Amino acid sequence: MSEARTEILWDHYGVPHIFAPDHTSLFSAYGYAQMEAHAELLIRLYAQARGCAALHYGDAYLEDDQWVHTMGIPTLSLAWTRKQSRAFAPLLRAFAAGLNHWAGEHAAELSAAARSVLPLTVADVLAHGMRVINFEWQARRDKIAGRLAGLFAPPEGSNGWAIGPSRTASGNAMLLSNSHLPWADRDTYFEVQLTAPGVTSYGAVWVGFPVLRQCFTTCLGWTQTTNNPSISTLYRLDTDGTDGYRLDGETRPFDVEEHTIGVRRKDGTVDHLPHRIRRAAHGPVVVDCEDVVVALRVAGLDRPRMYEQFWRMGLATNLEQFHAAMRMQQLPLFNTMYADRDGHIMYVYNAASPRRESGDHQYWQGPVPGDRSELIWDDAIVPYDELPKVIDPPDGWVQNCNDTPWTCTHPMILDPAAYPSYLAPPPAFTPRAQRSVRLLATAGPLTLDELEAMKMSTHVETADHFVDDLVAAARATGGDSTLRAAEVLASWDRLTECDSVGPLLFYRFLLEAGDSFTAAGGYAVGPDPQQPLSTPRGFADPDRAATLLGNVAARIEAEYGRLEVPWGDVLRFRRGSSDFPANGASSEMGAIRTAAPGPFDSSTAAVTSGDTFYAVVEFSDPVQGRALLPYGNWSREDSPHVEDQLPLAAAKQMRPILLRKPDIEAELEQRTLL
């Protein structure tokens, strides 16, 4: 009898469907498949996680390397390697072996820089995940700068819905998974099917990860959006003019580490630059100016089994097993929406939030005093069973669009007063969350087709709150350009389709008005989380709002020669050699179909972030779903899969998800046997 072989069946969109006889072979094939699609990107990301990207790729990566070493990622990743469980460690080794297997077979296809990074190790796999999750998501350098300036920017966008049987036409639970991230670099998603004994997973995750983050199986599924728990803390140190810092009335010396970082210059020579790291009891110093010294403390660094938790979530077959995986609490953040074939739905505010004795969420977002040891939290975190969560709510749905945990249902079920005030911000809706509530609260029993249509809706929620009042103000007080702008907005269908006229004007007005419409005089009625469908609304100073609209309109007329500019003439889907009129709106506009413009080049802007991997799934028997990854499943420059899904994005279409071998074979592009 012949031994079972591992197969990678690549469909016409470059999605690998991996069928393996055991888990070790599955992980090895998954590593191999990622390299086939993303070798150059993956290897470079691992070099960055090692803190040696400047050595291999040049001085553009010097600051990245300095940050990685300051955070201690290379040392921590080695420690994490030793702390993997006996059950999961062989799977990580198999994944790394699969990466190297492909590299050994295809070395001639790799750049010299990429070859110089090889071989790849388990420590690289762990360091990459740590860099992305524990540092870039929690404490990225630009986020630190914003927090020090008192600007508490909202987290990156995503949409997630779980819909119970009482709200579906079939009586099956359904899930919407909809991640919003930049279309490049470490945020690049890879879509895959993983099948082995006990494994029926389909979904997507960032390139370089050995497990799935957005995932569904024949039994259940989950999706995640970014939350903003207080799991990293900035401490302003009192250096008191000395080489040390003050703590509890005493001056303590910094722990000092001296490193050298190799930097490859354009002529091929390598310089070795010194890099000095100072650490306090709180953590490494991340701001070191003459009058400001700030240290950073990041939670979750004692929790090395994040990948294993994701893996166990995918092995679960029911809600209780999923709870058991989540109780590992190795994953430090992310709202999680869940649905299963038994009809259960759930929202969890997942956060490895350190226990604290004082201070609310805003207090712990800003720099806190560094001279008192009682403010330096330890590794004890709020247990999973004490985190905010909603299971099978009466209205039959939960949602999160980067809003607070309290607003996952409407009316709100969770009471913020029942939880520590440092755990999450006060109740507040994002515009996308308001749009979600409007759609979910008014929808009848949904079919999968109707769920897909809701996902692809380009309707702008903020227009429903402000356009009527803005038009009235402009008509009452405006000059010529203001009156022309009023007529454009009055005629606008409030959609952001490629042929919609009005989105450019309203988008530019929102940008100029700023947060809370400060530059337009503020709201007439401010946000009320108890009334997300009718607040905020109107303008406290209609004349000022009308003047701002007129100024925006005049600039658009000067730039485009007219105000009646179709949205698709401005916003473009560009990838490879493709260039299509785009549809969708930026996050602040509040459309579920999200497409954020990048920098403007002349009069157009390409979508550079927004909808990445998105899927609608019904837990029927058999499970069925549709998905799209607009920028394609490969990053290899010579691959058609860099841009082959972009026409579907432009047409607002999704692909049927291929789960069964006969369906995959019918769409087969190539077969790899391992």
Side-chain angles (χ1 to χ4, degrees):
M1 187 180 220
S2 62
E3 221 176 90
R5 298 280 300 272
T6 298
E7 290 183 299
I8 307 176
L9 306 181
W10 297 89
D11 69 27
H12 281 308
Y13 287 101
V15 176
H17 303 261
I18 304 174
F19 295 85
D22 55 70
H23 294 179
T24 302
S25 300
L26 182 70
F27 272 71
S28 179
Y30 185 29
Y32 189 99
Q34 284 209 32
M35 289 286 278
E36 177 74 9
H38 293 289
E40 289 286 346
L41 172 61
L42 186 150
I43 292 171
R44 194 248 300 157
L45 290 171
Y46 280 15
Q48 289 177 264
R50 279 185 199 172
C52 65
L55 175 63
H56 299 284
Y57 293 93
D59 55 11
Y61 295 94
L62 176 58
E63 287 189 6
D64 282 349
D65 287 353
Q66 291 171 333
W67 179 253
V68 164
H69 284 288
T70 299
M71 295 301 102
I73 293 174
T75 301
L76 279 168
S77 66
L78 293 173
W80 278 22
T81 302
R82 296 189 293 270
K83 294 178 180 179
Q84 299 304 305
S85 72
R86 290 185 179 182
F88 194 69
L91 304 184
L92 285 177
R93 290 195 293 269
F95 181 77
L99 300 174
N100 290 314
H101 180 187
W102 187 94
E105 289 184 346
H106 300 269
E109 300 172 29
L110 292 171
S111 66
R115 288 196 302 272
S116 71
V117 178
L118 299 172
L120 306 175
T121 68
V122 170
D124 293 330
V125 180
L126 293 166
H128 174 56
M130 184 191 308
R131 174 177 176 251
V132 171
I133 299 293
N134 296 86
F135 292 102
E136 296 298 331
W137 281 89
Q138 292 191 49
R140 198 169 61 235
R141 282 167 288 178
D142 60 340
K143 287 186 175 181
I144 287 175
R147 286 165 62 180
L148 290 174
L151 304 173
F152 302 128
E156 288 87 351
S158 293
N159 303 326
W161 301 344
I163 303 168
S166 67
R167 301 301 296 269
T168 66
S170 64
N172 300 314
M174 296 196 294
L175 188 71
L176 164 69
S177 178
N178 184 193
S179 186
H180 300 158
L181 287 171
W183 285 17
D185 204 64
R186 66 173 179 269
D187 297 305
T188 303
Y189 266 108
F190 186 58
E191 183 178 351
V192 65
Q193 180 182 11
L194 303 174
T195 304
V199 184
T200 60
S201 294
Y202 192 105
V205 74
W206 297 296
V207 168
F209 278 56
V211 288
L212 295 181
R213 177 187 176 224
Q214 316 282 1
C215 178
F216 71 91
T217 72
T218 57
C219 300
L220 55 83
W222 73 90
T223 186
Q224 295 181 324
T225 65
T226 310
N227 52 2
N228 191 22
S230 53
I231 52 179
S232 65
T233 303
L234 296 167
Y235 293 91
R236 182 162 182 166
L237 304 183
D238 179 5
T239 56
D240 198 25
T242 69
D243 290 334
Y245 61 96
R246 300 286 292 174
L247 187 64
D248 296 333
E250 299 179 356
T251 298
R252 297 194 181 187
F254 288 100
D255 293 329
V256 179
E257 298 177 21
E258 302 288 353
H259 286 266
T260 58
I261 296 177
V263 180
R264 186 168 300 278
R265 303 302 185 186
K266 290 181 179 179
D267 63 2
T269 61
V270 175
D271 290 337
H272 295 279
L273 304 182
H275 179 56
R276 187 170 186 258
I277 303 166
R278 294 201 296 173
R279 301 185 189 278
H282 320 66
V285 171
V286 293
V287 177
D288 196 352
C289 302
E290 184 176 337
D291 56 345
V292 178
V293 178
V294 176
L296 172 67
R297 190 171 188 82
V298 174
L301 302 184
D302 63 324
R303 297 173 180 271
R305 295 165 62 197
M306 171 184 66
Y307 290 146
E308 184 175 357
Q309 177 176 330
F310 273 130
W311 174 240
R312 291 193 179 187
M313 289 160 64
L315 294 179
T317 60
N318 56 46
L319 179 57
E320 283 308 311
Q321 291 179 10
F322 192 80
H323 280 313
M326 293 290 284
R327 286 191 184 99
M328 291 177 66
Q329 289 193 278
Q330 300 293 302
L331 183 63
L333 74 170
F334 298 129
N335 301 291
T336 301
M337 277 62 62
Y338 164 98
D340 67 28
R341 66 181 177 186
D342 296 325
H344 296 298
I345 62 172
M346 176 174 65
Y347 163 83
V348 180
Y349 180 76
N350 181 67
S353 183
R355 286 197 181 276
R356 296 171 169 104
E357 297 301 322
S358 63
D360 61 11
H361 183 268
Q362 184 170 0
Y363 175 84
W364 288 101
Q365 287 292 302
V368 304
D371 59 350
R372 295 156 49 197
S373 58
E374 71 265 22
L375 295 178
I376 306 176
W377 40 263
D378 59 24
D379 292 333
I381 65 171
V382 177
Y384 172 76
D385 291 327
E386 296 178 21
L387 294 173
K389 62 179 67 65
V390 171
I391 302 172
D392 298 333
D395 283 350
W397 56 266
V398 292
Q399 71 81 35
N400 185 270
C401 296
N402 311 109
D403 45 315
T404 60
W406 329 113
T407 51
C408 66
T409 59
H410 181 72
M412 291 187 291
I413 293 175
L414 293 171
D415 179 7
Y419 299 88
S421 61
Y422 57 75
L423 197 57
F429 281 93
T430 63
R432 284 175 290 106
Q434 291 172 300
R435 187 68 192 154
S436 292
V437 169
R438 193 181 298 277
L439 289 170
L440 291 168
T442 58
L446 287 168
T447 65
L448 192 62
D449 287 342
E450 289 168 335
L451 180 60
E452 178 182 347
M454 289 165 67
K455 159 62 211 126
M456 303 307 293
S457 170
T458 67
H459 190 101
V460 173
E461 177 69 24
T462 49
D464 292 341
H465 293 249
F466 298 107
V467 163
D468 287 343
D469 289 336
L470 188 55
V471 168
R475 285 173 171 169
T477 64
D480 289 345
S481 61
T482 308
L483 290 172
R484 288 193 295 273
E487 297 316 306
V488 168
L489 292 180
S491 301
W492 177 31
D493 57 12
R494 302 188 185 181
L495 303 179
T496 46
E497 302 294 331
C498 62
D499 58 354
S500 295
V501 173
L504 175 62
L505 177 60
F506 190 63
Y507 172 66
R508 293 276 183 91
F509 175 82
L510 290 179
L511 292 183
E512 297 259 354
D515 293 340
S516 302
F517 282 2
T518 303
Y523 303 132
V525 178
D528 180 354
Q530 301 291 348
Q531 301 182 64
L533 305 186
S534 59
T535 67
R537 65 178 184 271
F539 300 93
D541 187 342
D543 289 351
R544 187 172 174 187
T547 299
L548 180 63
L549 177 66
N551 293 338
V552 170
R555 284 192 287 273
I556 291 175
E557 288 179 317
E559 184 175 349
Y560 293 90
R562 67 195 193 283
L563 272 181
E564 298 82 0
V565 183
W567 188 227
D569 287 2
V570 177
L571 189 65
R572 309 295 295 182
F573 284 135
R574 291 178 180 145
R575 193 80 170 169
S577 60
S578 296
D579 187 345
F580 297 100
N583 53 77
S586 61
S587 186
E588 63 267 33
M589 294 176 80
I592 299 303
R593 173 62 160 163
T594 304
F600 274 73
D601 177 13
S602 183
S603 60
T604 65
V607 173
T608 56
S609 65
D611 281 349
T612 51
F613 176 76
Y614 50 96
V616 292
V617 180
E618 180 176 353
F619 291 95
S620 50
D621 186 14
V623 65
Q624 58 180 318
R626 299 155 197 171
L628 201 74
L629 186 58
Y631 52 71
N633 209 36
W634 291 45
S635 59
R636 273 174 53 173
E637 293 182 359
D638 60 346
S639 171
H641 304 309
V642 169
E643 57 187 287
D644 57 352
Q645 298 187 55
L646 208 60
L648 295 176
K652 294 175 58 182
Q653 297 175 359
M654 298 175 72
R655 298 179 285 103
I657 293 175
L658 305 176
L659 297 172
R660 287 158 284 282
K661 262 197 173 181
D663 297 329
I664 300 165
E665 297 271 9
E667 300 291 335
L668 191 65
E669 181 174 86
Q670 72 177 65
R671 185 190 311 268
T672 304
L673 296 176
L674 297 174

